Amino acid sequence: HAPAIRPVRYMQVVPEEAVREHSFSGTAQAGSRTKLSFKVAGTLQELPVSVGEKVRQGQLIAKLDAKDYELQGQQAESALIQAQAAERKAAADYQRVQDLYEDDNASTSDLDAARAAAEASKARVRSVQRQLELARRQLSYATLTAPVDGAIAAIPVELSENVSPGHPVVILSSGEELEVELTVPESVIASI
């Protein structure tokens, strides 16, 4: 009787480079960080957010003391009312002089002067309307809202602090991807 051959499992072993694992500490942060600032100068009156707080798009972040901008708007509104009254008077005067001119009771120079006054008063109304629009825009710039959903990463200012245009008031973290910042020792950096 022939001896039975028994199957054997085998594996060829080859030397491999040793895999070394390293651990490093680091800081994770959102991929997008936005410095939020005002377009106008002023004293920081409201700051209803805190570091780490999640905010929604359109939520109030900070507000300046807007009294000066409100006063500028009120002055521009008053100036517009006066300019519109002057425009109505100049238009009525021009119409009267035109009627007198047609009846040969006013000179050409009187007509030209009345026309010039009417045109100047119209231009004045347009100018004051632009000033009012600018004052309203500056008033709206005294409120800072979140441009996107995110979290407050830092607040480099304090309440009652005077801030200038472009000075960061809040740093907002947003975005889905994270960035990790870490330090790698010199002894390991060559093998990376």
Side-chain angles (χ1 to χ4, degrees), residues 133-169:
E133 183 182 323
L134 177 62
R136 287 178 176 158
R137 189 175 300 154
Q138 286 185 320
L139 180 60
S140 74
Y141 292 157
T143 302
L144 187 62
T145 57
V148 293
D149 293 351
I152 305 299
I155 302 175
V157 295
E158 293 184 16
L159 276 177
S160 301
E161 187 174 328
N162 286 324
V163 293
S164 56
H167 184 269
V169 175

Side-chain angles (χ1 to χ4, degrees), residues 75-87:
Q75 285 177 336
E77 286 173 2
S78 296
L80 180 59
I81 290 168
Q82 291 173 355
Q84 288 171 332
E87 179 189 23

Side-chain angles (χ1 to χ4, degrees), residues 3-75:
I5 300 175
R6 298 170 72 186
V8 176
R9 285 188 194 179
Y10 73 93
M11 179 179 7
Q12 186 174 0
V13 178
V14 293
E16 284 188 20
E17 270 186 46
V19 176
R20 298 174 102 186
E21 209 172 274
H22 298 282
S23 295
F24 305 103
S25 59
T27 306
Q29 60 189 22
S32 174
R33 290 168 63 90
T34 307
K35 294 178 181 177
L36 301 180
S37 61
F38 289 102
K39 291 184 178 182
V40 293
T43 304
L44 195 57
Q45 185 178 46
E46 290 181 44
L47 191 60
V49 294
S50 55
V51 174
E53 183 178 337
K54 291 194 181 302
V55 294
R56 309 280 306 162
Q57 182 178 5
Q59 182 177 335
L60 178 67
I61 299 289
K63 191 172 185 180
L64 296 176
D65 180 358
K67 286 188 186 105
D68 292 344
Y69 299 112
E70 289 169 0
L71 288 172
Q72 287 174 359
Q74 290 169 3
Q75 285 177 336

Side-chain angles (χ1 to χ4, degrees), residues 108-135:
T108 307
S109 63
D110 290 339
L111 182 64
D112 291 343
R115 182 185 307 123
E119 289 172 357
S121 63
K122 276 185 185 178
R124 171 81 176 132
V125 167
R126 285 193 301 271
S127 173
V128 174
Q129 283 173 332
R130 283 193 290 273
Q131 289 173 3
L132 178 57
E133 183 182 323
L134 177 62

